[in-house]
Amino acid sequence: QGYLPLLLATDPQNPDWKGQEATGFADNWNAGLSFYHNVFAREHNQFVDSFRKQAAEHPGDDSGLRDPSNPSTKILNTDVTPDVLFEVARLVVSAEIAKIHTIEWTTQLLYDESLYRGMNSNWSGLLRKGDQISQLLTSVVDRLRTSNSAVASNQWYAILASGPGITGSGNKMNTAHPEQWSIANDADVNGGTNHFGSPFNFPEEFVTVYRLHALVPDLFEYRELQKPDAIALKIPVVESFRGRATSLVHDRGLANWALTMGRQRLAALSLNNSPLFLQNLQMDRLQTTSKRLDVVALDIIRDREHGVPRFNEFRRQYGLRQLTSFDDFIDAHPTVSGDDRRAQEKLVVRLREVYGQHKCDDNKVITHAQVDVGGKPITDCLGHTNGTMVDNVEDLDTVVGWLAESTRPHGFAISETQFFVFILNASRRLYSDRFLTSSFRPEIYTTLGYNWVNDNGPKKMIESLASNGHIGDPVSPMKRVLLRTIPELKDELDHVVNAFDPWARDRGTYYTLEWKPRKGAEGDDAFKKP
């Protein structure tokens, strides 16, 4: 299905980008970005081709689109111009990516039933769309949206919107008279969004908890579709940067790269696990002697420059329990293995070496975000006796702190601190986007586009595999995208429910975290014991 065009040395862009795909995100280009840009460009064209086929077969049918300057007039399939169709396809792909992130990527990163239900309710409702209770809740949510009460707007709205879902509650404006909704009316077009009292933004703390560089490996375990169980090559990730990424992806093909990334596990989000290449990354445009960058150190420096609170205060301002010692990072559950506990204890010793200790002063109040037991101010001693030698937990950098958190819910790849920030922003970016709420409708997406996003493609497909107690769910959106854009992956994807789960892993019966091969992949090199 082709690849994106490339930038030339003569193009008026940064010369470092020569040979890369011509995209809006050209800096820090790598094989992963090349892969996904080409996949979603193909998906864009898949939608355009499907619409054109529909228009050729039914030219006089209503496309669903409406013009704000003439909202009562139908726009027929044959009247949709190439420029408009291009922009509609961009909307469709953008909504697909939001849906993939919400119900497929996040539910794999946070691998348990609560998050599966929670993220799916974000998108389509806890009770799923169409039933009478969802319709009733939609009406209530509409009224709360216009309430002057901050409490009602910020608390009850968010709670009740989980019934019909965020996207489900936005596109039914004028619930009593849905036929009165008009693309010419700004209140209708923008009325489904809810900014909860402030303009939409991604705050600094969201950037902080999204510093996920530790997930990236140093080596790609490159595979080929003809022999999926064998690791054919180990390719340094650093060798896949900029123009070299494009040649690697083109020469070896999207199918082989999909298999490579589909079967390889992410690295763990933990301390002492950041990729080595990011700690010494060559960047020729830097105005420095070495022209090298330590991205891992930069994560810490940027938080300090931007005034992000240190880890303990960060947690307090989110209403989370504070640390009183670095020992609090040790997982106290009796199920933790001896090796894991020893590794955590060793990490605590290292944190003390780096951040140090001091004699505490019980007269020094250190925060107003929380109070201690009995309403007393929290002091420098954090509950210890005055003059005690205590850990410098207040100096601990936020990114270091959440990477050190070993106590996590079942299946969570991220820490508790990260999760609180993630879940607020993941939901709010849907609430505050008119294209996923009040403007998520055929008048803006076309009927085909609206159904394409809801059905994960041109027609709904039901997953034949049972997974974690779920039977009869639609085939997940990223899996559908891969099947359309790289159809040669079909045999490999037949065994996959969630495209972000390692493709050769046995998912087990109920959110198992065991690392064992699925049937037919017993010979996969990844499962060999070191």
Side-chain angles (χ1 to χ4, degrees), residues 370-435:
Q370 292 185 18
V371 293
D372 213 335
V373 179
K376 296 189 299 182
I378 293 174
T379 71
D380 180 51
C381 286
L382 295 172
H384 300 282
T385 304
N386 189 39
T388 300
M389 187 67 72
V390 298
D391 292 331
N392 292 340
V393 290
E394 298 303 320
D395 293 340
L396 184 67
D397 291 280
T398 299
V399 65
V400 176
W402 57 252
L403 282 171
E405 287 181 70
S406 57
T407 307
R408 300 180 182 183
H410 175 87
F412 272 40
I414 66 174
S415 73
E416 176 192 47
T417 305
Q418 287 177 286
F419 173 68
F420 268 76
V421 185
F422 264 88
I423 207 67
L424 289 169
N425 286 276
S427 300
R428 196 185 174 201
R429 61 128 185 200
L430 299 179
Y431 280 123
S432 290
D433 190 337
R434 78 173 178 94
F435 289 106

Side-chain angles (χ1 to χ4, degrees), residues 20-84:
Q20 296 177 193
E21 286 90 343
T23 71
F25 193 105
D27 217 7
N28 298 323
W29 195 251
N30 57 65
L33 286 175
S34 175
F35 174 82
Y36 275 112
H37 275 73
N38 280 296
V39 162
F40 283 107
R42 290 183 178 187
E43 175 69 1
H44 179 283
N45 293 343
Q46 286 275 347
F47 174 78
V48 169
D49 289 347
S50 293
F51 187 90
R52 285 175 170 163
K53 180 181 178 183
Q54 169 187 277
E57 293 174 351
H58 307 284
D61 284 4
D62 182 3
S63 69
L65 281 178
R66 293 295 181 269
D67 183 344
S69 64
N70 192 11
S72 61
T73 301
K74 295 179 181 179
I75 297 178
L76 306 181
N77 284 332
T78 192
D79 295 331
V80 178
T81 66
D83 283 350
V84 168

Side-chain angles (χ1 to χ4, degrees), residues 433-451:
D433 190 337
R434 78 173 178 94
F435 289 106
L436 296 174
T437 52
S438 50
S439 292
F440 180 51
R441 51 192 309 121
E443 291 91 334
I444 291 169
Y445 279 77
T446 72
T447 300
L448 178 66
Y450 177 71
N451 292 334

